[in-house]
Amino acid sequence: MKRLILLISLFISISLQAQNMKELFVAMPDTLVPLLTKVNREDFGDFLASKMKAEVRNRFGKTSEMTELTDDYLYLKMTSASSMEMKLLPLNDSLKVVCVIQTYQAPVADSKVRFYDTDWNLLETSRFIDLPVDSLFFRTPVTKAQADSLQNLRTHTDISLQEARLSADNRTLLFRYTTPDYLDKATSANLQAYLIRKPLRYVWENGRFIRSGESE
């Protein structure tokens, strides 16, 4: 019996390690990507493997295109106004977690960050990242006049919008503050003077995304 349990455990471990992004994406439940069929998801990988443009007709009869697929990353242009990114990240030697980012352009980019296990069970986001609050995107005012000006400008930022992007090449996650993009030009221009120009950078360390502190 002990040998049987050991063999089963070994098989499960090998199966987990063998999983790559292509396999996970094909196995993704339709409820998580209602616009695509399983055949659609299989076709993406086949097209890219054949060096073809990876376009399919989705359930709405429109075009969805996968532009990148590696063992641990994919980028999918779902519609003209939405995209999906996925990154397979290690928790330990045998377990991994999938970070999924869905971005909607309506008309300003705004992203939702979620995490799943490799069986596509939704996990608590706070286990893996402390999502940035809007204040992190702003410089600290030097004078009282600047502080008052910023306070007045931020009365216009009642909607919090952020665009998140994963890296295909490493385990980093960037956040860009997009709220100013929906403001009128004058207010947006005045607000830019107080914003940190670089996106906030998070690095995957010991099973969590940690803010790297590389900012102005």
Side-chain angles (χ1 to χ4, degrees):
M1 179 61 72
K2 288 183 178 179
R3 288 183 64 187
L4 178 61
I5 293 174
L6 181 61
L7 286 171
I8 292 173
S9 299
L10 181 61
F11 175 77
I12 292 173
S13 177
I14 292 172
S15 297
L16 286 171
Q17 292 176 351
Q19 282 183 316
N20 57 37
M21 185 53 71
K22 179 181 177 181
E23 294 168 347
L24 287 167
F25 183 59
V26 171
M28 195 176 190
D30 289 350
T31 53
L32 297 182
V33 277
L35 207 57
L36 302 174
T37 67
K38 185 177 182 180
V39 172
N40 287 155
R41 301 196 298 276
E42 291 171 337
D43 285 345
F44 282 129
D46 293 340
F47 290 152
L48 286 174
S50 301
K51 309 297 183 183
M52 298 170 59
K53 192 172 185 178
E55 286 186 346
V56 303
R57 288 288 178 183
N58 58 46
R59 292 183 191 272
F60 288 169
K62 303 294 185 180
T63 299
S64 297
E65 180 183 3
M66 182 178 288
T67 59
E68 192 158 3
L69 176 64
T70 68
D71 283 345
D72 67 356
Y73 174 84
L74 71 76
Y75 183 86
L76 176 62
K77 187 69 175 175
M78 193 73 73
T79 69
S80 59
S82 64
S83 63
M84 177 183 285
E85 270 188 301
M86 298 185 194
K87 186 79 173 181
L88 189 59
L89 300 161
L91 288 179
N92 54 44
D93 291 340
S94 60
L95 294 177
K96 295 182 179 180
V97 64
V98 187
C99 178
V100 178
I101 296 179
Q102 291 176 295
T103 300
Y104 302 91
Q105 200 89 21
V108 175
D110 187 41
S111 300
K112 303 299 180 186
V113 181
R114 296 184 177 90
F115 293 86
Y116 298 85
D117 63 22
T118 52
D119 289 323
W120 291 110
N121 296 304
L122 182 63
L123 305 174
E124 185 65 38
T125 299
S126 60
R127 288 175 54 187
F128 306 104
I129 189 172
D130 293 325
L131 293 171
V133 295
D134 288 1
S135 59
L136 292 176
F137 294 94
F138 290 89
R139 303 169 186 267
T140 301
V142 177
T143 66
K144 185 179 185 301
Q146 289 178 346
D148 291 343
S149 174
L150 177 58
Q151 184 177 1
N152 290 333
L153 287 168
R154 290 199 61 184
T155 61
H156 299 278
T157 61
D158 54 322
I159 299 176
S160 177
L161 301 171
Q162 299 177 21
E163 181 182 20
R165 285 298 307 266
L166 289 159
S167 171
D169 303 319
N170 51 55
R171 296 166 184 166
T172 59
L173 173 59
L174 300 179
F175 287 90
R176 185 175 70 88
Y177 186 56
T178 56
T179 296
D181 295 347
Y182 94 95
L183 301 175
D184 64 85
K185 289 184 178 180
T187 303
S188 179
N190 290 330
L191 198 62
Q192 294 294 333
Y194 296 98
L195 288 175
I196 295 171
R197 289 191 295 270
K198 294 181 179 179
L200 299 183
R201 184 172 183 267
Y202 288 69
V203 179
W204 185 258
E205 295 178 358
N206 301 318
R208 277 184 65 84
F209 275 115
I210 306 297
R211 191 157 71 95
S212 72
E214 290 185 8
S215 59
E216 299 168 316

